[in-house]
Amino acid sequence: MDDGYFEQKKEKARQIYDAQRTIYSPFFKQDIILNSDGFHHLRYSARRERNKDEQVLKFTLMPLGLRILRTATTLQEYRKLLSPVGEKSARDGSVKMKMIEWWGFVAIFVEQGIKVRVVARKVGDGNIHF
């Protein structure tokens, strides 16, 4: 893939993402935060960088995902799990655990002929974020 094309898609997605810090969700009846973690997840998964084709796909679909969050009133997926958060302690190697919740919303965009899934997450007592 051409590096120029990749950088162009990434920069356009970054501009759209950074243009708003929150999105009001009718499902949650509150704002969903658009923080750096959300954009980072478009590029990385399980601490590894996604391949460039996958990143471009996520950059391209991101505006549709944000639209889903703005309009979704029905939940399709939910998961709640106690998970490690952060780095291991240098003192004893332990890792802090927090309850993490994930909400998945799916929409079919008939005009484009695609199905898009977007996930919101909440770590501990924090805010719900993209």
Side-chain angles (χ1 to χ4, degrees):
M1 172 179 299
D2 178 3
D3 284 342
Y5 178 76
F6 171 78
E7 289 299 325
Q8 175 189 5
K9 289 293 189 181
K10 182 172 108 179
E11 185 54 36
K12 182 169 173 135
R14 170 62 82 184
Q15 289 172 359
I16 292 167
Y17 194 81
D18 288 347
Q20 51 202 334
R21 301 314 300 158
T22 62
I23 291 179
Y24 181 78
S25 164
F27 177 80
F28 295 109
K29 294 181 177 45
Q30 70 181 62
D31 285 338
I32 294 175
I33 307 298
L34 301 179
N35 62 17
S36 60
D37 290 343
F39 196 82
H40 182 268
H41 188 62
L42 298 176
R43 298 199 55 221
Y44 295 87
S45 177
R47 304 198 190 277
R48 293 203 170 138
E49 187 172 11
R50 299 177 191 274
N51 68 50
K52 290 203 186 309
D53 288 332
E54 189 176 356
Q55 288 183 50
V56 167
L57 176 65
K58 291 188 178 298
F59 295 151
T60 304
L61 295 177
M62 189 213 32
L64 295 177
L66 298 179
R67 188 162 121 194
I68 292 168
L69 290 177
R70 268 189 217 95
T71 58
T73 57
T74 305
L75 181 67
Q76 279 78 33
E77 304 170 358
Y78 177 75
R79 187 168 43 147
K80 185 175 183 177
L81 191 64
L82 187 62
S83 296
V85 176
E87 301 295 321
K88 287 183 179 180
S89 167
R91 186 176 48 138
D92 63 5
S94 64
V95 177
K96 189 180 211 177
M97 302 289 279
K98 288 191 178 182
M99 191 61 67
I100 302 179
E101 294 177 89
W102 294 268
W103 295 268
F105 302 93
V106 179
I108 297 171
F109 293 89
V110 177
E111 294 169 11
Q112 293 91 342
I114 56 173
K115 179 170 94 171
V116 178
R117 179 172 59 126
V118 63
V119 176
R121 180 177 81 156
K122 180 178 179 181
V123 178
D125 295 329
N127 294 314
I128 299 170
H129 62 272
F130 170 79

